Amino acid sequence: MEALRQDDPRRFGRFTALARFHEGASAVRYVARDTATGEVVLVTAARPQLAAVPVFSRRFRAEARTAERLAGGWVSPPVGLGEEPEAPADGPEPLWTAAAYVPALPLAEAVAIAGPLPERALRILGAGIAEILSRVHASGSVLQGLAPGTVLLAADGPRLTAFGPLGAAASAEVGPGGQLSVRLGYLTPEQIEGKEVSAASDLFVLGLLLAYAATGTTPFTEGPAEEAARRIAEDEPELDAVPDPLRELIASCLAKDPAERPAAGTVAAELALEGAAGLARGGWLPERLAAAVTDQEARVLALEPPEDDTEPEAGSTEAAEAGAGAAEAEAAESGPEETPEPEDARPEDPRTDGARPEDPRAAPEPQDARTAPEPEDARPLPVPPADASQTNASPAGTPPADASPVNAPASQAPTAAPASVSAPVSDGDTGEDRGTTRFLNTGPRPPQSDRPTTQLALPHELTAPPGAALVPAAHPMPPALPAAPGTPQQPHQQPSHTQGGPAPYPAAALPAGPAGPGGPGGGPMVSLPLPPAPAPAPDPGASRRTLLTIAAAAVGGLVVGGGSVAALGSGDTAAATDDKPAPKPRRTLPGQAPEPRWIYAHPASESSPLTTAVWQDKLLVVTSESQASAVDLRTGKRLWQRADGAKGQAALAAGDDLVFVASPTEFLWLSPKNGKVVHRVRYTEAFTDLPGLTVGRLAGSSGPVIWFTGSHTVTVKAPKPKKGKKKEKDKEVVQAHFFAYDIVQRKELWRTAVPAGRSPGTPAYRVVAERSADVLVRQDAVSLTAAEVKAAKGKGSVRSFDQKTGKLLWTKKYGAASLEAATTGDEDGALYAAVGKDLQAFEADTTKPLWRVEGSDGSWFGTPLIAGPLIHTTERSRLVGAVERESGRLVWRRSTEVPGIGNAPSLTLSSSEKTLIAADAIQVTVFSAADGERLWKFQDIGSADPKGATVSAPYRALTFGETVVVQRDRSFYALPVA
């Protein structure tokens, strides 16, 4: 932090500025206080020179809205935003946003103070940022907001403060015609090759940040400056100093091929399976950093508004005139300067084959002309120039006073200039009428950049082109801030600049051509379509106010119609203004999940979902501890809720017009329109001869027939004692039955007595196959009694019950299939079971082996899924595949790319059976069912509160029509599939 400067605004709406917190290329962050409540906030104020540019203003507000949607967890919630002017003003309008203040240090400053972070801190840092990225990537967007200056270290975990290229920019320029160009701190191999950025690009930068945090430097700095771009694109990173347990993961993030980089959710789980918040409990910062954070908080709390608090509010005419006067005085003192278009922002004209038209701006620069200095907040320690005459304004060999971190040892100071991307920034405007109601990202056309082709230019020289409109200009040294109460006054030190941090390669990454920069032989200019502002899925924990604010505008390709979003954390659901199904969203990035047709968040005021089911391709029926509720599958709008359905099992269709739910005490038939109870059958009334009947979970269903188990306790009277003997006590005995019940006719079809299970006594059955004459049933191992487990000798069994009478026909064991082995069967008489690490097929009636498919070492198969002539397989090693039912011949096998061994992904087929969906605890992976082509992945890390429970629920998938509903705990996403 540092004291306010003379030309800094003193007021931002209801906030009074107290001190400068951090200076970036496009904005300055101030510590401020709410005049009404006394709350301390951080105000991010755009530089006036940039705020006056319409494209910058639109993009700034788009990134602010992105931050609002991401609020919660590791993103501080916004508390204010500068109002958009209704009419053009005479001078630059204030452009700012305010967020709650959290005591924290920028990553670069933290490394300068305490050196590289220890392994546990690295895990928490990486997991926290990966959790944010996962939420962004789940919507098919790219963040491009990572840099050592945008990542903060707080006492309870990391924080992210930038939500797009503007926030992470190393420098920002405005060219002729109002074209905005920003230079990013880091480049990726695909950007150097001129390819499109993707979610994997964020992972590469995350790898750079983690390597920097682990070593104090970036892994591509060794070698000549002119070969830096080649090193990024071709060389392996230097990771010898990275802790061994993290080296492989960081190396995978830095893979040259984007397809080989892990997903954000995978990185988060690999670094902290319990979540960053869980791992950070009890403290995570090294002692020196924890003390520095505490000291910063004390200093902030001690801040008072400057005594000379007569400065006008940001954006006022007086402020503009004062700024203009200061600028004129500075210009008069330094002499006139030319302002040609920046070389790295000017597109090549293909009609001239690289030659530039005659233009006075392109005239050779006079030898005595001064070179405009690069902005102090974007200029690292530069490489000494070959010609000192080019640097008479700011000697290249002398770093600016604010270029080195506070107390940074000389050995830790950056020695290379930051990598630079110069790319015009999209404002995120789709051009659609704001009155149009649409679903997520289904606008009439994709967002357009401000020019038909935006450009990526690798700069040829260390400093900016002469006269380029770079901001900000250098400032005189400000006065020192007061020390915290009780802290000895320290000598003033210039605040460090941490924006961008140590760069992976210097600015002069590609040599200039023979004609010099910009000439015919200049370095390559490659097309780089800049992605729109990230549009993450609405946070289930977000407030109603937040989401309704978002719904009012279109942001970078995400058009949220007024009220068409169902993700409202208050317990209410917004009413969609158009009940027609959403058009199929377009894919925005290769390999990324398509954008959701709708998103629904189960209200935080209610208990978490227990079961979910699709009813007649019309309703999503969700049961919880408190009620059953229904969501319209076309719109994501919640239609009704019914307390009678509390703790109910998965809903089924009872004919065409009723929803059947089995609760712990009764069967319910609900109206699909309003959830009203149409019929009710209590177990005490339906099964009068079984008093106190406890119904277990449903074993299976087929059409109108359901199968389930139940048990009740009976008293067995003790036999009459023999003469002279004492009478024994009566015994309480659990009796169990297996039932078949017709939910359309509402009557019991049959029941048969079966052995009672482990206490409390109801055995857990699962129907593994239905055939014309019988049903095959397997009992879950956890419900077997100790005696049954001992008698089984480690082998599982399958029971056959007659379809009409329920009579037990036979019990058989299949090879060495264990008690827990995944098992399923088909209507043709075959049974498929996991045997050891292999999958084996048997004749169900004879137990004769038919074929075997070998599995992975150290793994075993989960429950396979039968689909026509194929059987889709799943393994704990995260492999998914397909084999022929008849022969067992392997058709294809692919990895979900989730690292390590875990539970086998659960499999679901789309209605057309063209798409296979694999869901586990980490992600949802979607394959082409025919050939195994990996189509896309979906992840949503959730919105874990740093002080609350971490979202760790596995994903589930339910399909209807051309849609898959992906559920993770309270969040539901409707995604299109073939």
Side-chain angles (χ1 to χ4, degrees), residues 12 154 708 881:
F12 299 94
F708 62 93

Side-chain angles (χ1 to χ4, degrees), residues 291-385:
V293 171
T294 302
D295 177 69
Q296 179 197 100
E297 182 178 19
R299 294 172 62 200
V300 166
L301 293 178
L303 288 173
E304 295 294 341
E307 293 181 4
D308 184 16
D309 193 12
T310 58
E311 285 291 328
E313 186 174 341
S316 67
T317 304
E318 292 84 348
E321 291 175 353
E328 290 171 4
E330 184 177 349
E333 186 177 53
S334 60
E337 294 184 4
E338 296 182 11
T339 56
E341 182 178 4
E343 295 292 343
D344 62 347
R346 189 185 315 155
E348 299 283 2
D349 189 343
R351 296 169 299 179
T352 60
D353 193 27
R356 299 196 182 278
E358 292 297 327
D359 190 320
R361 294 175 302 180
E365 180 184 354
Q367 290 296 324
D368 58 349
R370 295 185 60 183
T371 301
E374 190 171 7
E376 293 294 332
D377 66 336
R379 185 181 354 154
L381 296 183
V383 178

Side-chain angles (χ1 to χ4, degrees), residues 143-501:
L143 184 67
Q144 286 195 300
L146 296 181
T150 67
V151 174
L152 305 183
L153 309 187
D156 58 357
R159 294 291 191 279
L160 184 62
T161 62
F163 308 95
L166 291 188
S171 68
E173 305 173 357
V174 178
Q179 181 184 6
L180 175 67
S181 295
V182 298
R183 298 187 181 187
L184 301 180
Y186 290 123
L187 277 183
T188 64
E190 54 268 29
Q191 287 174 305
I192 291 175
E193 296 173 5
K195 297 179 181 177
E196 187 181 54
V197 294
S198 66
S201 303
D202 282 338
L203 270 297
F204 187 90
V205 179
L206 176 60
L208 290 174
L209 284 178
L210 289 177
Y212 165 64
T215 65
T217 185
T218 47
F220 295 103
T221 55
E222 295 296 328
E226 62 273 11
E227 295 183 5
R230 180 196 59 77
R231 291 197 300 272
I232 282 283
E234 300 175 7
D235 288 1
E236 293 302 314
E238 294 290 337
L239 300 175
D240 292 344
V242 173
D244 290 343
L246 303 182
R247 190 174 301 147
E248 183 178 351
L249 178 64
I250 293 177
S252 66
C253 291
L254 296 174
K256 307 303 180 189
D257 184 355
E260 295 180 2
R261 297 171 201 157
T266 302
V267 173
E270 185 79 8
L271 290 171
L273 189 58
E274 67 272 56
L279 187 58
R281 288 193 178 100
W284 70 292
L285 292 176
E287 185 176 349
R288 293 183 63 186
L289 296 184
V293 171
T294 302
D295 177 69
Q296 179 197 100
E297 182 178 19
R299 294 172 62 200
V300 166
L301 293 178
L303 288 173
E304 295 294 341
E307 293 181 4
D308 184 16
D309 193 12
T310 58
E311 285 291 328
E313 186 174 341
S316 67
T317 304
E318 292 84 348
E321 291 175 353
E328 290 171 4
E330 184 177 349
E333 186 177 53
S334 60
E337 294 184 4
E338 296 182 11
T339 56
E341 182 178 4
E343 295 292 343
D344 62 347
R346 189 185 315 155
E348 299 283 2
D349 189 343
R351 296 169 299 179
T352 60
D353 193 27
R356 299 196 182 278
E358 292 297 327
D359 190 320
R361 294 175 302 180
E365 180 184 354
Q367 290 296 324
D368 58 349
R370 295 185 60 183
T371 301
E374 190 171 7
E376 293 294 332
D377 66 336
R379 185 181 354 154
L381 296 183
V383 178
D387 184 359
S389 66
Q390 296 176 359
T391 59
N392 54 7
S394 179
T398 306
D402 62 349
S404 300
V406 177
N407 297 328
S411 60
Q412 293 180 355
T415 58
S420 303
V421 171
S422 178
V425 180
S426 165
D427 63 0
D429 190 357
T430 63
E432 184 178 5
D433 180 3
R434 294 299 189 272
T436 303
T437 297
R438 292 194 177 274
F439 293 91
L440 294 174
N441 211 7
T442 56
R445 59 183 176 84
Q448 300 295 321
S449 298
D450 296 287
R451 288 194 175 186
T453 303
T454 56
Q455 298 291 330
L456 162 67
L458 300 178
H460 306 291
E461 51 187 312
L462 186 62
T463 56
L470 294 173
V471 290
H475 292 284
M477 179 179 294
L481 281 173
T487 303
Q489 184 71 29
Q490 299 293 332
H492 169 77
Q493 290 180 324
Q494 182 73 359
S496 64
H497 166 66
T498 58
Q499 184 69 27

Side-chain angles (χ1 to χ4, degrees), residues 611-673:
T611 69
T612 54
V614 168
W615 182 87
Q616 297 285 61
D617 287 2
K618 296 178 181 178
L619 298 180
L620 177 71
V621 182
V622 181
T623 66
S624 68
E625 292 281 349
S626 57
Q627 62 189 11
S629 56
V631 175
D632 191 328
L633 285 174
R634 297 174 301 164
T635 64
K637 174 185 175 182
R638 186 166 175 174
L639 299 178
W640 51 259
Q641 57 220 43
R642 178 65 56 179
D644 301 77
K647 301 181 181 179
Q649 300 192 48
L652 299 170
D656 296 331
D657 55 357
L658 291 176
V659 179
F660 172 82
V661 175
S663 82
T665 60
E666 59 191 350
F667 291 149
L668 298 172
W669 286 261
L670 310 177
S671 166
K673 295 181 179 179

Side-chain angles (χ1 to χ4, degrees), residues 545-623:
R545 178 196 61 76
T546 298
L547 286 177
L548 292 183
T549 300
I550 296 165
V555 184
L558 170 62
V559 180
V560 183
S564 66
V565 177
L568 298 179
S570 66
D572 271 338
T573 301
T577 56
D578 184 357
D579 284 343
K580 295 180 181 180
K584 185 174 180 179
R586 57 189 179 278
R587 292 266 297 279
T588 56
L589 294 170
Q592 291 298 304
E595 295 169 23
R597 288 175 167 160
W598 51 257
I599 300 173
Y600 168 73
H602 191 70
S605 59
E606 301 175 13
S607 54
S608 296
L610 295 175
T611 69
T612 54
V614 168
W615 182 87
Q616 297 285 61
D617 287 2
K618 296 178 181 178
L619 298 180
L620 177 71
V621 182
V622 181
T623 66

